[in-house]
Amino acid sequence: FFFLMIRRPPRSTQSRSSAASDVYKRQVNQDAFLAISNFLGTPDGTLFAVADGHGVNGHLVSSFVKANLPTHIETAARIRNDDSQGFRGALQAGFLTTEKELRSSGIDTAFSGTTTVAVVVRGTKAFVANVGDSRAIIARCNHHGSWSAAAMSRDHKADDPREMMRIHASGGRVESYKDYEGKPLGPARVWLKNENIPGLAMARSIGDRIAAQVGVIAEPEITEFDLTPDDQFIVIASDGVWEFLSNQEVLDLVIPFYQRGDADAACDCIVKQSHACWKKVSKEILMSVSYTHLT
């Protein structure tokens, strides 16, 4: 099976937690990834994951997930039934145990956290556990040679109706930044009811202690797939890709490299394309802001 795991393109970017200082400073790459074969001690078991950290200590949180999540999933799987329901329970327990241990790790997660999307392939089954707005997609090609891309996970954006309901019920609010005229600016974010913190642009994450007070959770959303001969490859990436490229655009970029078996070149192509899109969007925003100030 052909897997692509894309980390965030190298760029200066605004933190998705508004409390981080100097958000325009060039940041360390806060992403981490996992690729473990013989997962759960079986030759047909493989774990792939991408964790996209955010906030001042985001790189520490994503590294913590990389170091601890696989062990916790395996430990939970050993004490459960070896069936789909049992493994879904193991995935959930693995994520929540990782979150619990993070709290006592000494890492300051008040305004720092990470997304995590994990794909576990067990024979002809694929399980996806997702927290946050990183994403996994699967590419399919039928016997007519027609290609299609399908999302394997759901982005947990702050304004998703199901997520927003939980945040409101927990005493939080969801709204975008406001510009100096009071107009919405950028994505919807999670805030405390009466304070303009933390400003997290997602509804689920590992870490983010302040956001957790108002309904941001580390519980993964788990989906299960039966793999068929039509399924050709899976792409796992952070929002540094999905914010600028659609599922179909990523599929179209990868196909030529897949056909010649060059996964590294496919990853490089996606990174370059998403980075180019980011630069274009950033330039347009800068020009728009400059024009507004001049007028």
Side-chain angles (χ1 to χ4, degrees):
F1 214 88
F2 197 82
F3 270 85
L4 301 176
M5 292 180 293
I6 320 295
R7 299 169 69 184
R8 179 180 294 277
R11 54 182 170 89
S12 284
T13 180
Q14 183 173 345
S15 167
R16 284 180 289 167
S17 171
S18 66
S21 61
D22 192 5
V23 294
Y24 296 106
K25 188 186 297 180
R26 181 169 294 278
Q27 297 178 347
V28 222
N29 191 323
Q30 295 184 302
D31 298 357
F33 71 92
L34 281 162
I36 301 175
S37 56
N38 296 314
F39 189 59
L40 302 171
T42 60
D44 64 350
T46 313
L47 166 65
F48 299 92
V50 164
D52 177 14
H54 52 262
V56 175
N57 295 319
H59 59 298
L60 299 178
V61 180
S62 61
S63 294
F64 185 90
V65 168
K66 178 177 181 174
N68 293 278
L69 180 62
T71 301
H72 292 318
I73 294 173
E74 287 186 314
T75 300
R78 281 197 293 268
I79 61 173
R80 284 171 169 77
N81 292 333
D82 189 23
D83 56 17
S84 291
Q85 184 176 354
F87 190 64
R88 290 168 74 102
L91 283 170
Q92 182 180 53
F95 271 70
L96 295 179
T97 302
T98 302
E99 162 73 13
K100 183 179 179 181
E101 287 198 351
L102 175 64
R103 292 180 199 161
S104 56
S105 67
I107 299 172
D108 182 358
T109 61
F111 298 103
S112 299
T114 188
T115 72
T116 303
V117 57
V119 178
V120 179
V121 175
R122 305 182 76 192
T124 59
K125 288 274 191 184
F127 297 84
V128 181
N130 182 51
V131 167
D133 58 4
S134 294
R135 187 187 309 163
I137 69 168
I138 190 164
R140 295 173 171 140
C141 183
N142 64 25
H143 63 283
H144 297 298
S146 176
W147 287 86
S148 62
M152 300 181 80
S153 60
R154 183 175 67 93
D155 298 353
H156 298 133
K157 299 296 188 184
D159 56 356
D160 177 276
R162 284 178 283 180
E163 304 296 318
M164 190 161 55
M165 187 181 300
R166 184 185 65 251
I167 290 162
H168 286 160
S170 300
R173 58 189 169 93
V174 176
E175 58 187 42
S176 301
Y177 278 127
K178 297 290 194 302
D179 65 15
Y180 67 97
E181 293 180 337
K183 296 177 182 176
L185 184 66
R189 296 174 181 271
V190 178
W191 311 89
L192 300 188
K193 186 174 183 179
N194 298 311
E195 293 183 74
N196 289 328
I197 56 171
L200 186 67
M202 67 190 73
R204 300 192 193 198
S205 75
I206 295 175
D208 290 298
R209 181 167 47 82
I210 300 300
Q213 297 174 12
V214 287
V216 172
I217 59 175
E219 181 177 343
E221 186 170 20
I222 299 168
T223 48
E224 182 180 339
F225 299 84
D226 291 310
L227 300 175
T228 74
D230 288 353
D231 298 323
Q232 304 299 311
F233 60 84
I234 290 172
V235 180
I236 311 171
S238 72
D239 77 320
V241 169
W242 306 117
E243 188 177 344
F244 304 105
L245 299 175
S246 68
N247 295 349
Q248 186 63 44
E249 287 170 329
V250 168
L251 171 68
D252 293 340
L253 288 171
V254 172
I255 289 172
F257 300 101
Y258 167 74
Q259 291 171 335
R260 59 179 191 255
D262 195 344
D264 288 341
C267 290
D268 288 342
C269 180
I270 294 172
V271 168
K272 287 175 183 175
Q273 186 63 32
S274 55
H275 189 227
C277 291
W278 170 77
K279 287 177 71 176
K280 181 181 177 183
V281 170
S282 297
K283 184 177 180 180
E284 289 171 353
I285 291 173
L286 182 61
M287 291 175 67
S288 173
V289 170
S290 298
Y291 176 78
T292 303
H293 280 291
L294 285 171
T295 56

